[in-house]
Amino acid sequence: MTQPQDFAGRSALVTGAASGIGAACARQLAARGAKRLILVDVDAAGLDALDCDCSVERVVGSVGDEALWRDLEPRLEGLDHAVVNAGIGAGGAIADLSLADWRRVMEINLDGAFLTLSAAMRAMRAHGRGGSAVITSSSTAVKPVPGIGPYGVSKAAVSHMARIAAVEGAANKIRVNAIAPGGVDTAIWESSEEFRASVAENGREATFKAMASTTPSGRFASADEMAETMLFMLSDAGANITGHVLVSDGGFTL
């Protein structure tokens, strides 16, 4: 099936673009006609390796750095879409976490999402055509999972931020939604020592199969699957959808 050119001539911002869901979104936006992409990640090599057939501006830095957004915001002029995706994982029980551990996650997952979304919405408001944004939340924002407190809390917060932003942006024709994936095969798992140990002992495929045993579908999604859904919400096909948090988790939260 030929991809529709439903982003023809559009510009889009994607954070966390060097791998996983962000990279999949960037590739699919380009394949579907995007004219210009602004890609942000701390991983310079990953950004350089990303091949997109359109004009690409690669920005290396942390989304939690306010100075990055001060420098970047003038270059967001004319922005049509934003994929607010950058995030990090974390482990540890709430009673045992230090404030530094907590803040490390919030700086990227919540503060970074706020800085990204607010800059994107200002750019969309300025040109008057409106636009759309999708924030990557998580099924752990819906279903409490022990041992990942800061991650789950940060994702619950960005889900609600999407709803508030949707109400605030409506007058300027700006739509904001969130997606709450369950397990997805992305590089974020590499931050887990337990995951790395299992891969070393059992292999990546067996590790993901075991992890997916708590999901009714019995599988984790691919980054491309998530990107397809996110681009639907971003596109004109999703024009009547705003303030929605879409759970796409293979039944994990049932």
Side-chain angles (χ1 to χ4, degrees):
M1 179 179 177
T2 302
Q3 285 281 14
Q5 295 294 289
D6 48 356
F7 291 94
R10 308 280 182 88
S11 63
L13 167 70
V14 183
T15 66
S19 64
I21 293 172
C25 284
R27 288 191 299 266
Q28 291 190 30
L29 282 163
R32 291 164 64 168
K35 181 180 180 181
R36 178 181 180 232
L37 297 178
I38 304 104
L39 308 180
V40 182
D41 205 292
V42 294
D43 180 3
L47 287 178
D48 287 341
L50 190 58
D51 185 18
C52 295
D53 188 18
C54 64
S55 173
V56 177
E57 181 173 353
R58 294 170 172 84
V59 179
V60 179
S62 170
V63 294
D65 180 2
E66 189 176 10
L68 179 145
W69 292 104
R70 282 198 300 267
D71 293 342
L72 182 56
E73 189 161 350
R75 303 184 334 245
L76 299 180
E77 183 177 354
L79 186 71
D80 297 299
H81 306 287
V83 177
V84 185
N85 171 71
I88 59 174
I94 286 176
D96 300 323
L97 286 167
S98 68
L99 180 60
D101 291 334
W102 180 270
R103 284 303 317 153
R104 182 177 64 86
V105 177
M106 294 298 167
E107 179 184 0
I108 305 303
N109 293 9
L110 180 54
D111 300 345
F114 158 72
L115 290 167
T116 306
L117 183 61
S118 59
M121 291 181 72
R122 286 191 295 272
M124 294 173 193
R125 183 178 62 190
H127 60 59
R129 298 188 306 275
S132 62
V134 174
I135 304 174
T136 303
S137 179
S138 169
S139 60
T140 62
V142 180
K143 180 176 181 175
V145 176
I148 57 166
Y151 182 80
V153 170
S154 69
K155 293 304 187 178
V158 299
S159 290
H160 199 53
M161 182 169 68
R163 298 185 186 100
I164 293 171
V167 176
E168 294 177 348
N172 296 112
K173 297 178 287 187
I174 300 170
R175 297 186 299 108
V176 183
N177 293 290
I179 188 167
V184 183
D185 184 353
T186 70
I188 198 169
W189 295 105
E190 303 296 341
S191 64
S192 165
E193 184 177 341
E194 183 179 352
F195 175 82
R196 295 194 303 271
S198 178
V199 170
E201 182 177 351
N202 305 305
R204 191 177 182 88
E205 184 177 348
T207 296
F208 274 117
K209 184 175 181 179
M211 291 166 63
S213 63
T214 59
T215 299
S217 67
R219 58 181 289 271
F220 276 13
S222 69
D224 282 324
E225 285 178 288
M226 289 298 107
E228 286 279 0
T229 303
M230 293 167 76
L231 264 60
F232 168 73
M233 290 192 288
L234 277 182
S235 75
D236 293 347
N240 199 44
I241 305 172
T242 194
H244 184 65
V245 181
L246 175 63
V247 177
S248 177
D249 67 349
F252 176 69
T253 53
L254 293 175

